[in-house]
Amino acid sequence: MKRDARLYDIVQVLRDGRLHTASELAQRLGVSTRTIWRDMEMLAATGLPVTGERGLGYILRAPLMLPPTMLTPEELEALVEGLRHVGQEGNPRAKAARSLLYKVATLLPQSGIETEG
């Protein structure tokens, strides 16, 4: 399973509002606990309201409500191209563009958007 798809699946599991251990998530997604720890760090870094820590578990602090987004393939391609352009080193908004690209890839795992890392 690609990381983007796995991150999307983790968010879907956490949307139930319950505490989930890394071990439980790892078993459910067929990866190691260590992979879940890294994934949770990445999700928290994107600004999702995820809290928790190794050994205790993870939970979404607030309900995550995402509006449906319908993009044509051409719109998605334009968005990704623009974010990659702005995300180049030296641009004052590079970090924000890379973060947004990561979020888009996580929310649309079926798109196959490749992110760094």
Side-chain angles (χ1 to χ4, degrees):
M1 170 182 279
K2 292 180 101 179
R3 180 175 56 190
D4 293 341
R6 186 176 64 249
L7 292 173
Y8 178 82
D9 288 346
I10 290 171
V11 170
Q12 296 310 307
V13 171
L14 293 177
R15 289 179 74 184
D16 69 5
R18 296 190 349 240
L19 186 70
H20 295 273
T21 65
S23 177
E24 170 195 343
L25 292 169
Q27 183 176 10
R28 188 168 180 170
L29 299 172
V31 296
S32 71
T33 302
R34 188 175 186 171
T35 296
I36 297 297
W37 292 337
R38 286 190 300 259
D39 288 349
M40 295 310 294
E41 287 177 19
M42 292 179 76
L43 287 173
T46 67
L48 287 173
V50 176
T51 57
E53 62 184 72
R54 296 177 184 183
L56 295 178
Y58 300 93
I59 192 168
L60 279 173
R61 286 178 285 150
L64 184 60
M65 303 303 280
L66 301 173
T69 304
M70 299 297 292
L71 300 175
T72 67
E74 293 80 15
E75 290 170 335
L76 182 59
E77 186 177 328
L79 176 63
V80 170
E81 185 177 326
L83 290 172
R84 286 191 174 135
H85 177 72
V86 174
Q88 294 175 5
E89 291 301 320
N91 189 312
R93 291 192 175 89
K95 184 177 179 181
R98 288 190 300 265
S99 175
L100 182 54
L101 178 61
Y102 178 77
K103 290 177 182 179
V104 169
T106 301
L107 294 172
L108 300 170
Q110 71 280 10
S111 68
I113 298 170
E114 294 292 328
T115 58
E116 293 181 28

